[in-house]
Amino acid sequence: MLNMIKMDLYRMFRTKSMYIVWIVLAVAVLFTTFMCKTDYDSLNKEDAAQQEQFTEPTAENINVGMMVTLPTEPGEKITVYDIFYANSQGKFYALFLVIFAVLFSTADIGSGYIKNIGGQVQKRGALIFSRSIALAVFMALTMTGAFILQAVANYIVFGDLEWGDPKAACSYFLTELVLHYALVLICMAIAIVLKNNVISMVISICLTMNIMSIVYGLVNSAVRKMGIHNFQMYKYTITGKISLLPMNPSGKDCFLALGVACVFIIIMISASSVVFQKRDI
């Protein structure tokens, strides 16, 4: 198992697409920071009575598409945590993570290398576990790097550096780390089951764009017809938890989000392993 993990880590760090994703993410972080400054400056020029106050998203007001809303109140300094929260809640980072997850998960299948390594292991399902470890390393490096890049971008754009509430930022960051990892594993499972980069990529991107909220709405309607009211499917999904986790999460918020994430992580790894073990390669 250790050798398989080393192999996947080596393969990941030798993959050009990973560095391309990181470069594009770095440029995008700097660009979005400039845009945040432009939007914030324009809001501060308006009459205070006409300025809209930031409201955290709920299961009822989630729209299709990617929406990044800055939580900074008028007159306050924009912190690193403010923009990181806005990008994370809008699934901006998730978009880059799922793209690489699909490319990495199917790289050895598309090249035919899986035929060589698959015949040398007794349980092919273990290859999925090692792949999930490699993706965990990639995801942790990407999210941590994104936070550091955001700090650099804030200093470049605003000329100073405000971090925000360290306790809230730490709780939010760690919880979102696990939630994003669960989303990465969902996309990995989709790619392994479908064995098609294009279709898997489209589905994964649609997940980050809240396209599934249309399906969730139909499920909510069906459940309400059964007599169960106030049910929101979005609250029990990974994309829903990523969007709905508050900026100052309580212990209960973090616990519920981590619970949903752990369930999906276990299911995705188990399902992918079973499919990969039984599939003829």
Side-chain angles (χ1 to χ4, degrees), residues 21-39:
V21 167
W22 281 351
I23 292 172
V24 175
L25 175 60
V27 174
V29 166
L30 185 61
F31 176 75
T32 55
T33 305
F34 273 110
M35 294 303 296
C36 285
K37 184 179 187 300
T38 302
D39 292 342

mmCIF file with all atom_site columns, all heavy atoms in Angstrom, residues 21-39:
data_model
loop_
_atom_site.group_PDB
_atom_site.id
_atom_site.type_symbol
_atom_site.label_atom_id
_atom_site.label_alt_id
_atom_site.label_comp_id
_atom_site.label_asym_id
_atom_site.label_entity_id
_atom_site.label_seq_id
_atom_site.pdbx_PDB_ins_code
_atom_site.Cartn_x
_atom_site.Cartn_y
_atom_site.Cartn_z
_atom_site.occupancy
_atom_site.B_iso_or_equiv
_atom_site.pdbx_formal_charge
_atom_site.auth_seq_id
_atom_site.auth_comp_id
_atom_site.auth_asym_id
_atom_site.auth_atom_id
_atom_site.pdbx_PDB_model_num
ATOM 1   N N   . VAL A 1 21 ? -2.927  24.135 -13.393 1.00 0.00 ? 21 VAL A N   1
ATOM 2   C CA  . VAL A 1 21 ? -4.060  24.505 -12.537 1.00 0.00 ? 21 VAL A CA  1
ATOM 3   C C   . VAL A 1 21 ? -3.616  25.498 -11.479 1.00 0.00 ? 21 VAL A C   1
ATOM 4   O O   . VAL A 1 21 ? -4.309  26.498 -11.206 1.00 0.00 ? 21 VAL A O   1
ATOM 5   C CB  . VAL A 1 21 ? -4.676  23.247 -11.884 1.00 0.00 ? 21 VAL A CB  1
ATOM 6   C CG1 . VAL A 1 21 ? -5.626  23.645 -10.758 1.00 0.00 ? 21 VAL A CG1 1
ATOM 7   C CG2 . VAL A 1 21 ? -5.416  22.416 -12.916 1.00 0.00 ? 21 VAL A CG2 1
ATOM 8   N N   . TRP A 1 22 ? -2.466  25.276 -10.874 1.00 0.00 ? 22 TRP A N   1
ATOM 9   C CA  . TRP A 1 22 ? -1.959  26.190 -9.843  1.00 0.00 ? 22 TRP A CA  1
ATOM 10  C C   . TRP A 1 22 ? -1.652  27.573 -10.419 1.00 0.00 ? 22 TRP A C   1
ATOM 11  O O   . TRP A 1 22 ? -1.938  28.596 -9.787  1.00 0.00 ? 22 TRP A O   1
ATOM 12  C CB  . TRP A 1 22 ? -0.709  25.593 -9.189  1.00 0.00 ? 22 TRP A CB  1
ATOM 13  C CG  . TRP A 1 22 ? -1.027  24.540 -8.178  1.00 0.00 ? 22 TRP A CG  1
ATOM 14  C CD1 . TRP A 1 22 ? -2.262  24.214 -7.684  1.00 0.00 ? 22 TRP A CD1 1
ATOM 15  C CD2 . TRP A 1 22 ? -0.102  23.669 -7.510  1.00 0.00 ? 22 TRP A CD2 1
ATOM 16  N NE1 . TRP A 1 22 ? -2.171  23.190 -6.770  1.00 0.00 ? 22 TRP A NE1 1
ATOM 17  C CE2 . TRP A 1 22 ? -0.859  22.839 -6.638  1.00 0.00 ? 22 TRP A CE2 1
ATOM 18  C CE3 . TRP A 1 22 ? 1.282   23.495 -7.584  1.00 0.00 ? 22 TRP A CE3 1
ATOM 19  C CZ2 . TRP A 1 22 ? -0.271  21.864 -5.838  1.00 0.00 ? 22 TRP A CZ2 1
ATOM 20  C CZ3 . TRP A 1 22 ? 1.877   22.527 -6.775  1.00 0.00 ? 22 TRP A CZ3 1
ATOM 21  C CH2 . TRP A 1 22 ? 1.110   21.712 -5.914  1.00 0.00 ? 22 TRP A CH2 1
ATOM 22  N N   . ILE A 1 23 ? -1.069  27.625 -11.599 1.00 0.00 ? 23 ILE A N   1
ATOM 23  C CA  . ILE A 1 23 ? -0.737  28.912 -12.211 1.00 0.00 ? 23 ILE A CA  1
ATOM 24  C C   . ILE A 1 23 ? -2.011  29.692 -12.539 1.00 0.00 ? 23 ILE A C   1
ATOM 25  O O   . ILE A 1 23 ? -2.118  30.896 -12.259 1.00 0.00 ? 23 ILE A O   1
ATOM 26  C CB  . ILE A 1 23 ? 0.111   28.700 -13.482 1.00 0.00 ? 23 ILE A CB  1
ATOM 27  C CG1 . ILE A 1 23 ? 1.500   28.162 -13.112 1.00 0.00 ? 23 ILE A CG1 1
ATOM 28  C CG2 . ILE A 1 23 ? 0.246   30.007 -14.268 1.00 0.00 ? 23 ILE A CG2 1
ATOM 29  C CD1 . ILE A 1 23 ? 2.332   27.733 -14.305 1.00 0.00 ? 23 ILE A CD1 1
ATOM 30  N N   . VAL A 1 24 ? -2.981  28.999 -13.138 1.00 0.00 ? 24 VAL A N   1
ATOM 31  C CA  . VAL A 1 24 ? -4.251  29.659 -13.467 1.00 0.00 ? 24 VAL A CA  1
ATOM 32  C C   . VAL A 1 24 ? -4.954  30.125 -12.197 1.00 0.00 ? 24 VAL A C   1
ATOM 33  O O   . VAL A 1 24 ? -5.527  31.230 -12.158 1.00 0.00 ? 24 VAL A O   1
ATOM 34  C CB  . VAL A 1 24 ? -5.156  28.701 -14.270 1.00 0.00 ? 24 VAL A CB  1
ATOM 35  C CG1 . VAL A 1 24 ? -6.530  29.329 -14.506 1.00 0.00 ? 24 VAL A CG1 1
ATOM 36  C CG2 . VAL A 1 24 ? -4.509  28.345 -15.594 1.00 0.00 ? 24 VAL A CG2 1
ATOM 37  N N   . LEU A 1 25 ? -4.904  29.316 -11.142 1.00 0.00 ? 25 LEU A N   1
ATOM 38  C CA  . LEU A 1 25 ? -5.520  29.699 -9.871  1.00 0.00 ? 25 LEU A CA  1
ATOM 39  C C   . LEU A 1 25 ? -4.860  30.948 -9.295  1.00 0.00 ? 25 LEU A C   1
ATOM 40  O O   . LEU A 1 25 ? -5.545  31.855 -8.802  1.00 0.00 ? 25 LEU A O   1
ATOM 41  C CB  . LEU A 1 25 ? -5.412  28.544 -8.868  1.00 0.00 ? 25 LEU A CB  1
ATOM 42  C CG  . LEU A 1 25 ? -5.908  28.823 -7.435  1.00 0.00 ? 25 LEU A CG  1
ATOM 43  C CD1 . LEU A 1 25 ? -7.385  29.212 -7.447  1.00 0.00 ? 25 LEU A CD1 1
ATOM 44  C CD2 . LEU A 1 25 ? -5.683  27.617 -6.546  1.00 0.00 ? 25 LEU A CD2 1
ATOM 45  N N   . ALA A 1 26 ? -3.530  31.019 -9.354  1.00 0.00 ? 26 ALA A N   1
ATOM 46  C CA  . ALA A 1 26 ? -2.809  32.181 -8.837  1.00 0.00 ? 26 ALA A CA  1
ATOM 47  C C   . ALA A 1 26 ? -3.213  33.451 -9.578  1.00 0.00 ? 26 ALA A C   1
ATOM 48  O O   . ALA A 1 26 ? -3.461  34.499 -8.959  1.00 0.00 ? 26 ALA A O   1
ATOM 49  C CB  . ALA A 1 26 ? -1.303  31.949 -8.943  1.00 0.00 ? 26 ALA A CB  1
ATOM 50  N N   . VAL A 1 27 ? -3.284  33.366 -10.904 1.00 0.00 ? 27 VAL A N   1
ATOM 51  C CA  . VAL A 1 27 ? -3.692  34.524 -11.707 1.00 0.00 ? 27 VAL A CA  1
ATOM 52  C C   . VAL A 1 27 ? -5.132  34.907 -11.395 1.00 0.00 ? 27 VAL A C   1
ATOM 53  O O   . VAL A 1 27 ? -5.470  36.094 -11.266 1.00 0.00 ? 27 VAL A O   1
ATOM 54  C CB  . VAL A 1 27 ? -3.523  34.219 -13.213 1.00 0.00 ? 27 VAL A CB  1
ATOM 55  C CG1 . VAL A 1 27 ? -4.081  35.360 -14.056 1.00 0.00 ? 27 VAL A CG1 1
ATOM 56  C CG2 . VAL A 1 27 ? -2.060  33.980 -13.548 1.00 0.00 ? 27 VAL A CG2 1
ATOM 57  N N   . ALA A 1 28 ? -5.993  33.889 -11.246 1.00 0.00 ? 28 ALA A N   1
ATOM 58  C CA  . ALA A 1 28 ? -7.408  34.143 -10.972 1.00 0.00 ? 28 ALA A CA  1
ATOM 59  C C   . ALA A 1 28 ? -7.604  34.788 -9.603  1.00 0.00 ? 28 ALA A C   1
ATOM 60  O O   . ALA A 1 28 ? -8.460  35.668 -9.440  1.00 0.00 ? 28 ALA A O   1
ATOM 61  C CB  . ALA A 1 28 ? -8.199  32.835 -11.052 1.00 0.00 ? 28 ALA A CB  1
ATOM 62  N N   . VAL A 1 29 ? -6.818  34.368 -8.610  1.00 0.00 ? 29 VAL A N   1
ATOM 63  C CA  . VAL A 1 29 ? -6.917  34.957 -7.269  1.00 0.00 ? 29 VAL A CA  1
ATOM 64  C C   . VAL A 1 29 ? -6.557  36.440 -7.313  1.00 0.00 ? 29 VAL A C   1
ATOM 65  O O   . VAL A 1 29 ? -7.248  37.282 -6.720  1.00 0.00 ? 29 VAL A O   1
ATOM 66  C CB  . VAL A 1 29 ? -6.004  34.208 -6.276  1.00 0.00 ? 29 VAL A CB  1
ATOM 67  C CG1 . VAL A 1 29 ? -5.829  35.011 -4.989  1.00 0.00 ? 29 VAL A CG1 1
ATOM 68  C CG2 . VAL A 1 29 ? -6.585  32.844 -5.952  1.00 0.00 ? 29 VAL A CG2 1
ATOM 69  N N   . LEU A 1 30 ? -5.494  36.771 -8.030  1.00 0.00 ? 30 LEU A N   1
ATOM 70  C CA  . LEU A 1 30 ? -5.090  38.167 -8.147  1.00 0.00 ? 30 LEU A CA  1
ATOM 71  C C   . LEU A 1 30 ? -6.144  38.981 -8.891  1.00 0.00 ? 30 LEU A C   1
ATOM 72  O O   . LEU A 1 30 ? -6.482  40.106 -8.489  1.00 0.00 ? 30 LEU A O   1
ATOM 73  C CB  . LEU A 1 30 ? -3.749  38.251 -8.866  1.00 0.00 ? 30 LEU A CB  1
ATOM 74  C CG  . LEU A 1 30 ? -3.113  39.650 -8.975  1.00 0.00 ? 30 LEU A CG  1
ATOM 75  C CD1 . LEU A 1 30 ? -2.847  40.223 -7.590  1.00 0.00 ? 30 LEU A CD1 1
ATOM 76  C CD2 . LEU A 1 30 ? -1.815  39.584 -9.771  1.00 0.00 ? 30 LEU A CD2 1
ATOM 77  N N   . PHE A 1 31 ? -6.697  38.401 -9.938  1.00 0.00 ? 31 PHE A N   1
ATOM 78  C CA  . PHE A 1 31 ? -7.721  39.106 -10.724 1.00 0.00 ? 31 PHE A CA  1
ATOM 79  C C   . PHE A 1 31 ? -8.985  39.342 -9.902  1.00 0.00 ? 31 PHE A C   1
ATOM 80  O O   . PHE A 1 31 ? -9.550  40.449 -9.912  1.00 0.00 ? 31 PHE A O   1
ATOM 81  C CB  . PHE A 1 31 ? -8.054  38.296 -11.978 1.00 0.00 ? 31 PHE A CB  1
ATOM 82  C CG  . PHE A 1 31 ? -9.163  38.886 -12.806 1.00 0.00 ? 31 PHE A CG  1
ATOM 83  C CD1 . PHE A 1 31 ? -8.948  40.004 -13.585 1.00 0.00 ? 31 PHE A CD1 1
ATOM 84  C CD2 . PHE A 1 31 ? -10.433 38.308 -12.795 1.00 0.00 ? 31 PHE A CD2 1
ATOM 85  C CE1 . PHE A 1 31 ? -9.978  40.554 -14.347 1.00 0.00 ? 31 PHE A CE1 1
ATOM 86  C CE2 . PHE A 1 31 ? -11.456 38.851 -13.545 1.00 0.00 ? 31 PHE A CE2 1
ATOM 87  C CZ  . PHE A 1 31 ? -11.232 39.975 -14.327 1.00 0.00 ? 31 PHE A CZ  1
ATOM 88  N N   . THR A 1 32 ? -9.438  38.311 -9.192  1.00 0.00 ? 32 THR A N   1
ATOM 89  C CA  . THR A 1 32 ? -10.661 38.468 -8.388  1.00 0.00 ? 32 THR A CA  1
ATOM 90  C C   . THR A 1 32 ? -10.458 39.465 -7.255  1.00 0.00 ? 32 THR A C   1
ATOM 91  O O   . THR A 1 32 ? -11.410 40.147 -6.856  1.00 0.00 ? 32 THR A O   1
ATOM 92  C CB  . THR A 1 32 ? -11.109 37.112 -7.799  1.00 0.00 ? 32 THR A CB  1
ATOM 93  O OG1 . THR A 1 32 ? -10.027 36.526 -7.059  1.00 0.00 ? 32 THR A OG1 1
ATOM 94  C CG2 . THR A 1 32 ? -11.541 36.160 -8.896  1.00 0.00 ? 32 THR A CG2 1
ATOM 95  N N   . THR A 1 33 ? -9.242  39.564 -6.734  1.00 0.00 ? 33 THR A N   1
ATOM 96  C CA  . THR A 1 33 ? -8.964  40.547 -5.682  1.00 0.00 ? 33 THR A CA  1
ATOM 97  C C   . THR A 1 33 ? -9.079  41.970 -6.224  1.00 0.00 ? 33 THR A C   1
ATOM 98  O O   . THR A 1 33 ? -9.639  42.858 -5.565  1.00 0.00 ? 33 THR A O   1
ATOM 99  C CB  . THR A 1 33 ? -7.562  40.327 -5.093  1.00 0.00 ? 33 THR A CB  1
ATOM 100 O OG1 . THR A 1 33 ? -7.451  38.977 -4.632  1.00 0.00 ? 33 THR A OG1 1
ATOM 101 C CG2 . THR A 1 33 ? -7.314  41.264 -3.912  1.00 0.00 ? 33 THR A CG2 1
ATOM 102 N N   . PHE A 1 34 ? -8.560  42.193 -7.440  1.00 0.00 ? 34 PHE A N   1
ATOM 103 C CA  . PHE A 1 34 ? -8.725  43.485 -8.097  1.00 0.00 ? 34 PHE A CA  1
ATOM 104 C C   . PHE A 1 34 ? -10.202 43.800 -8.307  1.00 0.00 ? 34 PHE A C   1
ATOM 105 O O   . PHE A 1 34 ? -10.649 44.936 -8.098  1.00 0.00 ? 34 PHE A O   1
ATOM 106 C CB  . PHE A 1 34 ? -7.997  43.494 -9.444  1.00 0.00 ? 34 PHE A CB  1
ATOM 107 C CG  . PHE A 1 34 ? -6.554  43.888 -9.359  1.00 0.00 ? 34 PHE A CG  1
ATOM 108 C CD1 . PHE A 1 34 ? -5.559  42.943 -9.580  1.00 0.00 ? 34 PHE A CD1 1
ATOM 109 C CD2 . PHE A 1 34 ? -6.180  45.193 -9.051  1.00 0.00 ? 34 PHE A CD2 1
ATOM 110 C CE1 . PHE A 1 34 ? -4.217  43.293 -9.495  1.00 0.00 ? 34 PHE A CE1 1
ATOM 111 C CE2 . PHE A 1 34 ? -4.845  45.553 -8.970  1.00 0.00 ? 34 PHE A CE2 1
ATOM 112 C CZ  . PHE A 1 34 ? -3.855  44.605 -9.193  1.00 0.00 ? 34 PHE A CZ  1
ATOM 113 N N   . MET A 1 35 ? -10.982 42.790 -8.723  1.00 0.00 ? 35 MET A N   1
ATOM 114 C CA  . MET A 1 35 ? -12.410 42.996 -8.953  1.00 0.00 ? 35 MET A CA  1
ATOM 115 C C   . MET A 1 35 ? -13.143 43.300 -7.649  1.00 0.00 ? 35 MET A C   1
ATOM 116 O O   . MET A 1 35 ? -14.053 44.133 -7.624  1.00 0.00 ? 35 MET A O   1
ATOM 117 C CB  . MET A 1 35 ? -13.004 41.746 -9.619  1.00 0.00 ? 35 MET A CB  1
ATOM 118 C CG  . MET A 1 35 ? -12.481 41.475 -11.023 1.00 0.00 ? 35 MET A CG  1
ATOM 119 S SD  . MET A 1 35 ? -12.743 42.856 -12.161 1.00 0.00 ? 35 MET A SD  1
ATOM 120 C CE  . MET A 1 35 ? -14.540 42.905 -12.211 1.00 0.00 ? 35 MET A CE  1
ATOM 121 N N   . CYS A 1 36 ? -12.746 42.617 -6.580  1.00 0.00 ? 36 CYS A N   1
ATOM 122 C CA  . CYS A 1 36 ? -13.356 42.884 -5.274  1.00 0.00 ? 36 CYS A CA  1
ATOM 123 C C   . CYS A 1 36 ? -13.096 44.318 -4.838  1.00 0.00 ? 36 CYS A C   1
ATOM 124 O O   . CYS A 1 36 ? -13.979 44.982 -4.292  1.00 0.00 ? 36 CYS A O   1
ATOM 125 C CB  . CYS A 1 36 ? -12.805 41.916 -4.229  1.00 0.00 ? 36 CYS A CB  1
ATOM 126 S SG  . CYS A 1 36 ? -13.448 40.232 -4.345  1.00 0.00 ? 36 CYS A SG  1
ATOM 127 N N   . LYS A 1 37 ? -11.892 44.807 -5.077  1.00 0.00 ? 37 LYS A N   1
ATOM 128 C CA  . LYS A 1 37 ? -11.564 46.188 -4.715  1.00 0.00 ? 37 LYS A CA  1
ATOM 129 C C   . LYS A 1 37 ? -12.394 47.168 -5.528  1.00 0.00 ? 37 LYS A C   1
ATOM 130 O O   . LYS A 1 37 ? -12.920 48.156 -4.994  1.00 0.00 ? 37 LYS A O   1
ATOM 131 C CB  . LYS A 1 37 ? -10.071 46.458 -4.946  1.00 0.00 ? 37 LYS A CB  1
ATOM 132 C CG  . LYS A 1 37 ? -9.625  47.863 -4.505  1.00 0.00 ? 37 LYS A CG  1
ATOM 133 C CD  . LYS A 1 37 ? -8.159  48.066 -4.731  1.00 0.00 ? 37 LYS A CD  1
ATOM 134 C CE  . LYS A 1 37 ? -7.690  49.400 -4.142  1.00 0.00 ? 37 LYS A CE  1
ATOM 135 N NZ  . LYS A 1 37 ? -8.392  50.556 -4.737  1.00 0.00 ? 37 LYS A NZ  1
ATOM 136 N N   . THR A 1 38 ? -12.559 46.889 -6.820  1.00 0.00 ? 38 THR A N   1
ATOM 137 C CA  . THR A 1 38 ? -13.359 47.757 -7.680  1.00 0.00 ? 38 THR A CA  1
ATOM 138 C C   . THR A 1 38 ? -14.813 47.798 -7.220  1.00 0.00 ? 38 THR A C   1
ATOM 139 O O   . THR A 1 38 ? -15.417 48.881 -7.108  1.00 0.00 ? 38 THR A O   1
ATOM 140 C CB  . THR A 1 38 ? -13.295 47.274 -9.139  1.00 0.00 ? 38 THR A CB  1
ATOM 141 O OG1 . THR A 1 38 ? -11.933 47.255 -9.578  1.00 0.00 ? 38 THR A OG1 1
ATOM 142 C CG2 . THR A 1 38 ? -14.102 48.184 -10.046 1.00 0.00 ? 38 THR A CG2 1
ATOM 143 N N   . ASP A 1 39 ? -15.380 46.633 -6.939  1.00 0.00 ? 39 ASP A N   1
ATOM 144 C CA  . ASP A 1 39 ? -16.778 46.571 -6.484  1.00 0.00 ? 39 ASP A CA  1
ATOM 145 C C   . ASP A 1 39 ? -16.948 47.256 -5.136  1.00 0.00 ? 39 ASP A C   1
ATOM 146 O O   . ASP A 1 39 ? -17.935 47.975 -4.914  1.00 0.00 ? 39 ASP A O   1
ATOM 147 C CB  . ASP A 1 39 ? -17.229 45.112 -6.391  1.00 0.00 ? 39 ASP A CB  1
ATOM 148 C CG  . ASP A 1 39 ? -17.332 44.456 -7.750  1.00 0.00 ? 39 ASP A CG  1
ATOM 149 O OD1 . ASP A 1 39 ? -17.390 45.174 -8.756  1.00 0.00 ? 39 ASP A OD1 1
ATOM 150 O OD2 . ASP A 1 39 ? -17.343 43.206 -7.802  1.00 0.00 ? 39 ASP A OD2 1
#
